[in-house]
Amino acid sequence: MQAMTSSTHGHNSALKWSLLAGFCAVLVCGCGSFNSQARNTEGVRLFQQGQYHQALRQFQEASYADPENPDGYYNLAATYHRLGISEGQRTYLDQAENYYNQCLDRNENHVACYRGLTVLLAEQGRTEEAFRLLEGWVARQPGVADAKVELARLSEEYGNSRVAKEHLRDALDNDPNNTRALAALGRIREQMGETAQALQNYQRVLAQDPGQYQVASRVSALRGQLGLPSPVSTTGASGTRLVDRNNTVPLR
């Protein structure tokens, strides 16, 4: 696959970031010691209530209790990130970057952390660094599909859907049932007018996770465009999901 060109890296940072808009701080209620998990859980609750400074204290205590748990550092980073944006404090953003890096020191495949750090760099106009971060992840971990999904996401945001499409195909070579890659590839194909292929991607997502209602809506719409009967709708829980598997903070 061809590498992203420098002109793409330098794309105008004023574009409308769905990447940034989708970064709604998914905090992790991390596993680890009982005390660390309890602190992270309480921190997530406080964060969701908008009590960010109180949440920081809980996440700091969680990190003291379990200093090797990456989720505690991610939660600290996400909270400082939110505070840095909402209060316009550069020192908070510097703290966020520091904690994102500490998280990655402990888990080199922490997807939410890569997402948060990429957004932070992009918000500051450090586009080249954002691409290098994700390209480095892909180079170090070529078998990790999520790394390629994140690089595809960033490439698409900077206007290179064709490169994003290649990254997603590579991701699916690693993990053919990766629902994030399938949904993203379906969206790009739909935008390119590849309706039948987009429908196939979306249907594969629903085969893995029938509760993805936005995808189900696109399946219904595309089947209508192709003159196919609508499938029977499914029911279940919807909405944004907090990462309960480990206690991490939700980013914007």
Side-chain angles (χ1 to χ4, degrees), residues 6 43 50 56-57 65 76 100 102 111 116 134 163 175 180 189 196 223 231 234 240 247 250:
S6 59
L56 277 176
R57 286 195 286 272
L76 282 166
Y100 281 136
Q102 289 195 55
V111 178
L134 297 182
V163 168
D175 181 1
R180 294 181 63 227
R189 281 176 161 163
R223 289 178 69 89
T234 58
T240 307
N247 287 351

Side-chain angles (χ1 to χ4, degrees), residues 15-36:
L15 71 137
K16 295 182 179 179
W17 277 82
S18 62
L19 175 70
L20 306 187
F23 182 59
C24 52
V26 179
L27 300 179
V28 177
C29 303
C31 48
S33 69
F34 176 80
N35 186 36
S36 172

Side-chain angles (χ1 to χ4, degrees), residues 23 25-31 40 68-78 99-119 133-134 137-138 140-141 144-148 150 180 243-251:
F23 182 59
V26 179
L27 300 179
V28 177
C29 303
C31 48
N40 270 320
E68 294 308 310
N69 185 348
D71 292 334
Y73 296 97
Y74 170 74
N75 286 345
L76 282 166
Y99 282 120
Y100 281 136
N101 283 311
Q102 289 195 55
C103 170
L104 293 177
D105 285 343
R106 290 161 175 81
N107 180 356
E108 61 183 353
N109 291 316
H110 198 292
V111 178
C113 190
Y114 272 107
R115 171 78 54 78
L117 183 51
T118 299
V119 170
L133 174 71
L134 297 182
W137 185 19
V138 170
R140 291 189 302 274
Q141 301 287 336
V144 174
D146 281 330
K148 295 169 183 175
E150 291 302 318
R180 294 181 63 227
V243 182
D244 287 327
R245 58 179 177 80
N246 321 39
N247 287 351
T248 308
V249 180
L251 287 176

